Amino acid sequence: MEIKGFVQNFADQFDETEAAVFTPELAFRDLEEWSSFLALAIMAMIKSEYDVAISADEMRNANTIQELFDTVQSHLQ
């Protein structure tokens, strides 16, 4: 799993935010479009793309896409 693909999959969950905004360092909760619905969509994407079920606490504790990526990576090891 590579961060570039993860960022792309993450960005694909958003309808209104430009793809260029998404980087590993992005604090995604600061996005105007961010919502609890998107959090659930991202958790579902992680389950379908990476076969990893992250908890709501793990989702809440991630502040950047990189931190979320690292969480998913930790489940794969």
Side-chain angles (χ1 to χ4, degrees):
M1 178 170 82
E2 293 184 20
I3 186 68
K4 184 177 179 180
F6 187 83
V7 170
Q8 182 61 53
N9 288 334
F10 189 98
D12 288 347
Q13 306 309 305
F14 290 75
D15 293 328
E16 299 169 15
T17 307
E18 294 286 326
V21 168
F22 294 91
T23 66
E25 298 80 25
L26 176 69
F28 54 85
R29 285 180 175 57
D30 293 342
L31 295 172
E32 188 173 320
E33 189 179 358
W34 180 252
S35 68
S36 57
F37 174 77
L38 274 166
L40 293 174
I42 289 165
M43 290 171 73
M45 174 276 292
I46 290 169
K47 178 64 177 162
S48 68
E49 292 291 324
Y50 305 102
D51 198 28
V52 170
I54 64 167
S55 69
D57 282 341
E58 288 173 314
M59 185 70 202
R60 254 191 308 276
N61 290 334
N63 295 309
T64 65
I65 296 175
Q66 180 70 55
E67 289 174 3
L68 191 57
F69 175 83
D70 293 343
T71 299
V72 174
Q73 284 275 65
S74 73
H75 284 277
L76 294 172
Q77 297 175 1

